[in-house]
Amino acid sequence: MSNSDGYTIQLSKDKGRGIYALRQYTAGDVIFEEAPLISAQYCWNAAYGYVACEHCLRPLETAETNVRRLTNDGSISLPYLECCPTQEWLLRQTIMCNCGVRFCSQDCFVKAMSTYHHTLCLGDQSDNPDHPLNKLIDAWKQMHYPPEQASITMVLRILAYIKQCEQKYDLLMQLRDFCFDVMNEETGIFHKILGDNFSQQIETLHKLTIAAFPGEDFGNYLSPEGFRCLFALIGRNGQGIGTSPFAMWVQNVSRLSMPDDERKKVDKVIDDLYDKLEEVAGQFLNSEGTGLYCTQSKINHSCAPNAEARFPYSNYIVAITATQDIAPGEEICISYLDECSLERSRHSRQKMLRDNYLFICKCGKCEAQVGEPDLTSEDEMESESDEGADAGADEN
C-alpha cells in the first residue's frame, strides 16, 4: 500500500509488513502523525492522581501545578508561564462525567460516550468496591505494580468499543489486522503470557472480566484462548503514550531566545527541579497509557532505529519522526525497547523481544554483535530474575 505523504507499507519474506520511505527524509522530519484506534490511561497512573483527559490523555493541570504535586512543594513558581501547554482557560473547558472521570473538551466527551464510555461509565457506583468493573481493576492492581506497560483498562476499552460499535465486523477486522498470536509458529516462540507464573493471573482476570460483561461474546475474545490473544494483541502492538505539562514547558522554554546569563539561570532552575522530581517521584513523572495505532503498529523494530515515536501535542497523537537521514527505499524502523534496554547486551535485548514480540531480532546492530557471548551482566541477570518472579508486570 502506497501513501502520497512519502511512505509505503510493504511485505517482506523475513519481517512481514514494514514501512518504507518513498522520499528522502532528514533528521527531525515528521514522517506521519496518527491518532490511535483505541487508547487508555494506565490504572496506577489514575490512582496516583495523574489528572488527564479520559479520552486523549491530555494533562489537565498546568506545568506549575504538575511540578508542585510531584515534588510535594507548593511554593514552586515557574517562570515563563506562557510556555505551559495547559493554560488556565483550557482547564475551565473541561467536562466531568457523573462517574468522576474528566475530559479536556466537549469533543473528547462526545467521542468517548459514542465509542466506549457509555459501557464503562460507573455513574454513582464509581466508589463501590463490589462493582464488577472495580473488582477487576483492583485485582489487576494487586497483580501489577507501576510502572505498567499494559493495563486491564485497554482490555476493557477494546471490549467496550466492540459492544458499542454499530459496525462490529469492521472493527473486529481492524483488530485482527494487528499482530495478536500468542505463538510464532515458524520459530516456536511463545508469548510470556503463557508462562506458568502468569497463567493463574490470566485465569483470575478472565473470570472477573466475564462477570463484568455477562452474556457477551465480543467476537470470541472472552473465550480462554481469545482472552490470552487479547493480552498478546495489546502487548505486541501497544505504543506507550506519555504526556507531561512540565516536560512540554521545558521544551518550549528551551526554544526561547534569551541572553546567555538568563539562559544559565533558567537551566539551573530546570536542573534543580528535575533533581527534586527524581528524589520525590522517581521515574513516575508522566500521565501514561498505551494505544493501538493502525499504521504505527506496522513499523518494524531495530536496535539501531532511524525513527522514533513522539507526542508533540501533549495528547495521544503520535508523530513518527526521523532521527537520522532516511533515503528513498530504506525501511523506517523504531525501537520497541526503551533507551535503557537498548544499551543492554544483545542477549538481553533479544530475550525481551522474544518474550514480548515473538521474533528473533536480526537488525544490523544485533548481527554486528552476533559473536558476543550469550551472557548478561549481573545487573541484567538480577533484573530478569525479578521479572520472572513477577511475570506479566511488563506486558508490552
Side-chain angles (χ1 to χ4, degrees):
M1 183 180 77
S2 64
N3 185 284
S4 59
D5 290 332
Y7 62 89
T8 182
I9 299 172
Q10 294 180 357
L11 282 171
S12 63
K13 291 182 180 180
D14 55 340
K15 288 186 176 182
R17 291 177 298 188
I19 293 185
Y20 296 80
L22 291 176
R23 65 172 180 83
Q24 178 74 33
Y25 289 99
T26 58
D29 285 349
V30 175
I31 300 168
F32 66 86
E33 296 180 350
E34 184 180 16
L37 175 66
I38 301 171
S39 63
Q41 188 183 27
Y42 294 141
C43 288
W44 278 108
N45 242 237
Y48 274 113
Y50 286 70
V51 186
C53 175
E54 181 74 0
H55 185 69
C56 75
L57 274 73
R58 183 187 298 278
L60 297 181
E61 60 183 354
T62 65
E64 191 169 78
T65 302
N66 180 232
V67 75
R68 285 177 176 178
R69 176 174 58 80
L70 291 173
T71 60
N72 292 324
D73 185 351
S75 67
I76 292 174
S77 296
L78 296 181
Y80 302 104
L81 292 180
E82 69 275 12
C83 291
C84 175
T86 313
Q87 297 296 322
E88 292 290 348
W89 65 266
L90 179 63
L91 296 181
R92 290 194 291 270
Q93 296 181 1
T94 62
I95 295 174
M96 180 177 289
C97 181
N98 60 1
C99 66
V101 301
R102 295 173 64 188
F103 298 89
C104 69
S105 65
Q106 179 71 17
D107 184 53
C108 276
F109 176 68
V110 171
K111 287 179 179 177
M113 288 299 294
S114 65
T115 52
Y116 61 86
H117 191 62
H118 180 74
T119 296
L120 300 178
C121 180
L122 298 183
D124 59 6
Q125 295 294 303
S126 58
D127 294 326
N128 179 4
D130 293 324
H131 191 284
L133 288 175
N134 285 335
K135 291 174 71 172
L136 175 59
I137 291 172
D138 186 62
W140 172 270
K141 287 163 63 179
Q142 295 301 315
M143 298 173 184
H144 302 269
Y145 295 94
E148 295 175 84
Q149 289 190 315
S151 181
I152 195 68
T153 52
M154 272 295 283
V155 173
L156 291 174
R157 196 152 292 186
I158 290 172
L159 297 177
Y161 261 76
I162 295 172
K163 182 174 181 177
Q164 289 190 215
C165 185
E166 294 183 359
Q167 305 295 329
K168 285 183 172 57
Y169 177 81
D170 292 343
L171 177 58
L172 290 171
M173 288 301 99
Q174 282 184 293
L175 291 171
R176 286 187 62 84
D177 196 45
F178 291 96
C179 296
F180 65 91
D181 295 332
V182 295
M183 175 187 176
N184 185 325
E185 295 185 0
E186 293 184 3
T187 60
I189 300 174
F190 289 87
H191 197 281
K192 68 181 182 183
I193 66 169
L194 294 181
D196 293 337
N197 291 324
F198 195 42
S199 60
Q200 185 59 51
Q201 294 183 0
I202 282 284
E203 184 177 345
T204 299
L205 294 170
H206 182 221
K207 290 179 179 178
L208 290 171
T209 303
I210 290 175
F213 296 101
E216 303 283 352
D217 61 14
F218 296 107
N220 205 38
Y221 277 131
L222 287 190
S223 70
E225 180 62 24
F227 195 67
R228 290 198 299 270
C229 286
L230 193 55
F231 272 95
L233 185 155
I234 297 168
R236 295 183 66 186
N237 299 277
Q239 166 64 53
I241 302 169
T243 59
S244 165
F246 177 66
M248 289 296 292
W249 174 85
V250 171
Q251 290 182 27
N252 293 336
V253 169
S254 69
R255 299 188 184 104
L256 294 177
S257 296
M258 62 181 70
D260 289 345
D261 58 340
E262 179 65 15
R263 173 62 64 190
K264 290 179 181 179
K265 290 179 183 178
V266 173
D267 287 346
K268 178 67 164 56
V269 169
I270 292 172
D271 289 342
D272 289 346
L273 285 173
Y274 270 121
D275 287 342
K276 193 166 186 177
L277 285 166
E278 184 174 357
E279 178 184 345
V280 178
Q283 300 300 311
F284 201 44
L285 303 181
N286 299 334
S287 296
E288 294 186 344
T290 189
L292 296 175
Y293 295 82
C294 295
T295 302
Q296 176 272 342
S297 66
K298 297 175 178 62
I299 303 178
N300 285 317
H301 164 84
S302 171
C303 295
N306 55 16
E308 66 179 3
R310 297 177 181 174
F311 295 88
Y313 307 113
S314 198
N315 62 8
Y316 62 14
I317 301 294
V318 68
I320 302 302
T321 306
T323 56
Q324 61 191 56
D325 293 350
I326 302 174
E330 187 177 352
E331 184 174 11
I332 297 165
C333 293
I334 60 175
S335 173
Y336 296 174
L337 307 176
D338 60 30
E339 291 184 12
C340 181
S341 298
L342 283 178
E343 297 304 315
R344 297 175 72 176
S345 69
R346 175 180 181 272
H347 176 70
S348 291
R349 298 195 310 270
Q350 296 213 336
K351 180 182 185 302
M352 287 184 279
L353 293 167
R354 286 197 308 270
D355 288 350
N356 293 286
Y357 301 102
L358 309 188
F359 71 91
I360 298 171
C361 185
K362 297 181 180 179
C363 72
K365 182 176 179 178
C366 283
E367 292 297 286
Q369 296 174 345
V370 71
E372 291 186 358
D374 287 342
L375 297 174
T376 57
S377 68
E378 290 184 4
D379 289 342
E380 290 174 331
M381 291 175 67
E382 181 179 346
S383 175
E384 290 172 6
S385 176
D386 291 342
E387 185 180 51
D390 185 26
D394 177 9
E395 284 304 310
N396 189 20

